Amino acid sequence: MLYPLKFNAVFKDYIWGGRNFQKLGKRLPEGIVAESWEISCHPDGVSTVANGSYEGLPLPGLVKKLGRKLIGCELPDSALEKFPLLVKLIDANDKLSVQVHPEDQYAAVNENGELGKNEMWYIISAKPGAKLIYDIAPGVTKASFAKAVGKNKIEACLKYIEVFPGDFLNIPAGLVHAIGEGIVLAEIQQTSNTTYRLYDYNRTDKNGNKRTLHIEKALDVIDFDGAGRKEKYQGLSIKIAESCYKTYKIANKYFCVELYDINGTIEENADGSRFCLYVFIEGEGRIEYQGGAEYVSQGQSVLIPAFMGGYHIRGNLKALKSYVPDLNKNVLEPLENAGYSKEDIFKNVSGLE
């Protein structure tokens, strides 16, 4: 029987982390915890099932065992070979390095067949005045940026934006970015761990060593033509039940992310087309499916197998739902059917432009 799958988190102790995941109900190991890989099939941090009959099975083994029953019949064969999405929580107790990620083609050639890394962020909490780096400053060229890097004066070439709880940000490959201190966020991304570091504030690790930079590759992949792009999008909402709404926030060929605001009961259907992931960011409730129910609360993540069938989510909670979309079928058509024009959709849903 297929059921909502929970996983044991994989914790990372990078130097900029803290202890803020405790506020999300996480039971942490001692010391710094920077990232919690919630659902991951990447070799750098493989999730294992934490509940039900598949408890203890690593996610790659589950994909191999269940195949399209888990992944879905409408995703390409590549999704069976590499589970396409990875979910993280990030605790930026200190600022992260300034970095950029490659697209698929560049990563395949230069990173031994690794996927590129398109990602998105949802700001769970942010201290007053918290900022992050989003893009290079308008007017910065590859030549001027390379010169600034050489002189260790990169910060003047970057665009800083203030963020608040509830903000969504699309981070496409090629976008220079960095999370600032005092921010806890959820990240949904392609299954990749390829990061090109440009600047790390001259920090050293616990052994006194500076972290490796990847200047040449970073300059290869930065999207200098996209400087000045819009950062935050409102999203478009659809009523799905009494006092329950979903808002389409970010949609591209790699993932769609919707914000579910549930105050009551909604009905969903895993119809065999594709799996989906939920990250529960506020409140508590339960997922009721044929054969049982699974309690969910803030800080937990769940994978819904593609062929699980109909299910209900009951409670008072907010969640991020993500999946690999057919953009016409899963995004454009539902929004147009709800009365939104194409102009509205492209103006308000990030990633479609």
Side-chain angles (χ1 to χ4, degrees):
M1 176 180 289
L2 299 175
Y3 59 92
L5 295 153
K6 293 181 176 179
F7 294 87
N8 297 304
V10 178
F11 296 118
K12 303 290 185 177
D13 62 351
Y14 307 134
I15 59 175
W16 39 263
R19 302 288 298 173
N20 289 299
F21 293 148
Q22 290 176 324
K23 299 174 185 176
L24 300 177
K26 295 287 185 186
R27 303 176 75 176
L28 303 181
E30 293 183 3
I32 288 173
V33 179
E35 294 184 352
S36 174
W37 291 27
E38 296 286 292
I39 302 176
S40 169
C41 212
H42 195 279
D44 290 345
V46 173
S47 300
T48 57
V49 179
N51 66 326
S53 59
Y54 296 118
E55 183 176 356
L57 187 63
L59 182 52
L62 188 67
V63 173
K64 185 175 181 179
K65 183 178 183 67
L66 296 179
R68 291 201 174 275
K69 291 181 182 179
L70 181 74
I71 297 297
C73 60
E74 293 189 9
L75 299 191
D77 288 343
S78 59
L80 291 169
E81 299 162 7
K82 291 184 179 179
F83 188 81
L85 298 182
L86 193 160
V87 174
K88 295 178 182 176
L89 301 177
I90 296 177
D91 176 7
N93 197 53
D94 195 0
K95 51 187 174 288
L96 276 68
S97 61
V98 181
Q99 57 192 244
V100 67
H101 307 301
E103 268 284 10
D104 286 346
Q105 186 175 358
Y106 188 94
V109 173
N110 294 277
E111 303 298 338
N112 300 313
E114 177 86 332
L115 293 176
K117 191 177 178 188
N118 288 264
E119 61 191 29
M120 62 75 60
W121 293 338
Y122 171 81
I123 308 300
I124 296 173
S125 65
K127 71 178 186 180
K131 294 182 178 182
L132 53 77
I133 292 166
Y134 190 91
D135 210 349
I136 54 176
V140 173
T141 64
K142 184 174 183 178
S144 64
F145 194 79
K147 185 176 180 180
V149 170
K151 292 184 176 181
N152 208 26
K153 294 184 177 180
I154 187 176
E155 292 177 79
C157 296
L158 304 172
K159 183 173 73 173
Y160 297 80
I161 63 170
E162 190 171 359
V163 292
F164 305 90
D167 282 348
F168 282 79
L169 293 158
N170 188 32
I171 313 292
L175 178 82
V176 176
H177 59 278
I179 306 170
E181 64 181 288
I183 297 171
V184 176
L185 58 80
E187 177 176 289
I188 297 165
Q189 58 160 91
Q190 287 179 270
T191 294
S192 173
N193 201 26
T194 301
T195 296
Y196 299 149
R197 233 178 261 119
L198 282 155
Y199 182 63
D200 197 41
Y201 307 94
N202 299 310
R203 291 183 293 199
T204 58
D205 62 21
K206 59 185 178 183
N207 298 316
N209 301 312
K210 291 185 178 180
R211 296 205 291 171
T212 303
L213 303 181
H214 316 90
I215 305 301
E216 184 176 344
K217 288 181 176 179
L219 290 172
D220 281 347
V221 304
I222 292 172
D223 179 11
F224 290 97
D225 295 331
R229 76 192 80 202
K230 183 178 175 181
E231 306 100 12
K232 300 178 185 180
Y233 289 70
Q234 180 178 337
L236 294 174
S237 296
I238 295 176
K239 186 176 182 178
I240 51 177
E242 188 63 36
S243 301
C244 301
Y245 297 84
K246 69 176 179 179
T247 304
Y248 290 80
K249 286 289 192 175
I250 296 172
N252 54 52
K253 68 179 181 179
Y254 303 104
F255 49 74
C256 178
V257 180
E258 303 164 5
L259 174 65
Y260 274 54
D261 191 348
I262 301 170
N263 294 282
T265 301
I266 65 166
E267 183 177 356
E268 297 279 285
N269 185 32
D271 63 2
S273 61
R274 53 191 33 83
F275 72 91
C276 72
L277 310 175
Y278 289 97
V279 183
F280 294 94
I281 50 179
E282 289 183 22
E284 60 184 12
R286 64 186 185 273
I287 302 172
E288 299 175 352
Y289 61 100
Q290 185 177 3
E294 193 67 46
Y295 173 80
V296 292
S297 61
Q298 181 188 38
Q300 295 184 339
S301 299
V302 172
L303 188 162
I304 301 294
F307 277 85
M308 194 180 80
Y311 60 98
H312 294 84
I313 303 178
R314 302 186 192 274
N316 295 287
L317 47 84
K318 288 184 179 181
L320 307 178
K321 180 183 180 180
S322 61
Y323 54 91
V324 180
D326 175 324
L327 288 172
N328 284 318
K329 176 182 175 181
N330 302 127
V331 180
L332 298 178
E333 289 179 11
L335 286 170
E336 288 178 323
N337 291 339
Y340 294 108
S341 68
K342 271 198 167 63
E343 182 181 4
D344 289 332
I345 296 168
F346 281 82
K347 180 180 179 181
N348 291 289
V349 179
S350 182
L352 293 173
E353 68 282 350

